[in-house]
Amino acid sequence: MTIYQHYRPEEKEFIDQVLNWKHTVEADYAPKLTDFLDPREQEIVNNIIGSNHEVKVNLFGGTSFAERKRALIFPEYFQCEEQDFNISLYEVIYPKKFITIEHPQVLGSLMSTGLKRGKFGDILFQDERIQFFVTQEIEEYLSIQIESIGRATVSLKKLPLINAIQLTDSWVELSVISSSLRLDTVISAVFNISRQKSQSLIQHGLVKVNWTSIENSAFECRESDIISVRGFGRTKLIGIEGKTKKDKWKITAGKQK
């Protein structure tokens, strides 16, 4: 029995990386800090390291509700503190009266710096305020690079983490029946759209499962998957509860706009 059989084939590369981190911490007897990880990657790290006694892991994304988090993998002697995660918070200063900035524009500007997505944490919006988290090691480079977002001339203001916009998790739970666990049928059931429509969304690259674009309608969904459909929002498969008498799947899903 291998560790890989519990995961999808496309996750093997990341699993190898986690195992390598674990072995490095064991060998060097020193902590290892990762870039920001999406929730699926966090789950894999927790599964592989979480129950280990000699090597431990903590996750932090700048605030308690953060979706993207850095993992600190450390030997048992190490006392983990929030400052060990090396996360900085920035607020975007821009002419709010004259212009609107949206999430894709902020992410696009951050990515245009040539840095990997893992260097950036959550992007937070509240009314006209915009903030984002970054790894401390790139903040100096970033503050020089970001002069505009969309059509807006902007500046960045560094803030203490305690000043982060406070957001709440807004999953609404619902029960649905799906004829199979195929991606197209699950999307159809949760978002109440036709299967033809869900297949079109998948084929046009508008669907992600666990932050990875999936263009195969027959892709099989599993419990705890997070499915993002552009224009419709997100759903999380909280539980796959078995089959009905008519051989259909009962699914408990969380829905988020």
Side-chain angles (χ1 to χ4, degrees), residues 174-193 195 198 217 219-221 227 237 239-253:
L174 68 155
S175 296
V176 296
I177 303 294
S178 180
S179 57
S180 77
L181 296 178
R182 283 172 51 117
L183 182 58
D184 56 355
T185 58
V186 170
I187 289 172
S188 178
V190 173
F191 294 102
N192 197 24
I193 58 176
R195 192 161 161 195
S198 66
S217 295
F219 180 91
E220 186 165 314
C221 298
I227 303 166
L237 303 191
I240 295 172
E241 317 293 354
K243 289 193 168 183
T244 66
K245 289 177 182 175
K246 293 184 177 178
D247 209 33
K248 294 188 175 183
W249 290 96
K250 293 185 284 186
I251 298 171
T252 302

Side-chain angles (χ1 to χ4, degrees), residues 6-256:
H6 302 294
Y7 300 95
R8 293 190 170 107
E10 61 269 20
E11 292 172 333
K12 182 183 183 298
E13 189 179 338
F14 183 71
I15 292 161
D16 288 340
Q17 190 173 35
V18 177
L19 290 169
N20 186 44
W21 292 336
K22 178 174 174 282
H23 295 151
T24 301
V25 172
E26 286 171 337
D28 298 346
Y29 210 54
K32 161 69 184 173
L33 181 62
T34 74
D35 283 345
F36 285 98
L37 307 176
D38 66 43
R40 176 58 181 166
E41 291 168 333
Q42 294 165 35
E43 186 180 4
I44 291 171
V45 170
N46 264 330
N47 287 347
I48 293 173
I49 297 173
S51 58
N52 194 293
H53 296 299
E54 292 168 13
V55 177
K56 300 186 182 303
V57 62
N58 275 357
L59 298 160
F60 184 60
T63 185
S64 59
F65 57 83
E67 182 175 271
R68 298 178 64 83
K69 298 174 183 175
R70 301 188 83 172
L72 186 66
I73 303 163
F74 54 94
E76 57 183 345
Y77 78 86
F78 187 82
Q79 296 296 309
C80 179
E81 306 285 345
E82 278 188 5
Q83 58 264 31
D84 296 319
F85 288 87
N86 295 348
I87 294 171
S88 294
L89 172 68
Y90 280 88
E91 182 143 347
V92 180
I93 309 301
Y94 68 103
K96 299 178 177 68
K97 282 186 179 178
F98 308 107
I99 206 145
T100 300
I101 295 177
E102 296 179 344
H103 188 287
Q105 293 172 311
V106 179
L107 182 57
S109 293
L110 294 175
M111 296 302 291
S112 72
T113 61
L115 295 165
K116 294 188 300 180
R117 180 67 179 96
K119 298 299 180 187
F120 309 109
D122 286 3
I123 299 169
L124 310 175
F125 279 76
Q126 188 179 67
D127 300 323
E128 295 172 334
R129 294 180 70 200
I130 304 167
Q131 297 176 345
F132 58 86
F133 297 105
V134 298
T135 63
Q136 282 179 5
E137 52 267 31
I138 59 98
E139 62 179 338
E140 197 172 319
Y141 171 78
L142 189 72
S143 59
I144 298 166
Q145 292 290 316
I146 300 289
E147 295 179 342
S148 65
I149 295 175
R151 292 183 294 111
T153 300
V154 306
S155 59
L156 302 179
K157 181 182 180 183
K158 188 174 179 178
L159 297 173
L161 295 183
I162 198 168
N163 289 7
I165 293 166
Q166 298 297 307
L167 302 175
T168 54
D169 208 0
S170 55
W171 294 102
V172 178
E173 208 168 291
L174 68 155
S175 296
V176 296
I177 303 294
S178 180
S179 57
S180 77
L181 296 178
R182 283 172 51 117
L183 182 58
D184 56 355
T185 58
V186 170
I187 289 172
S188 178
V190 173
F191 294 102
N192 197 24
I193 58 176
S194 70
R195 192 161 161 195
Q196 189 178 5
K197 173 73 172 172
S198 66
Q199 287 174 346
S200 174
L201 291 164
I202 294 164
Q203 288 158 10
H204 284 89
L206 303 179
V207 174
K208 290 183 178 180
V209 180
N210 301 326
W211 292 267
T212 300
S213 186
I214 302 292
E215 294 182 17
N216 174 15
S217 295
F219 180 91
E220 186 165 314
C221 298
R222 295 183 182 178
E223 200 164 271
S224 84
D225 279 350
I226 292 182
I227 303 166
S228 173
V229 184
R230 195 180 305 170
F232 290 86
R234 278 189 195 168
T235 184
K236 179 178 183 179
L237 303 191
I238 296 168
I240 295 172
E241 317 293 354
K243 289 193 168 183
T244 66
K245 289 177 182 175
K246 293 184 177 178
D247 209 33
K248 294 188 175 183
W249 290 96
K250 293 185 284 186
I251 298 171
T252 302
K255 205 168 167 188
Q256 186 183 44

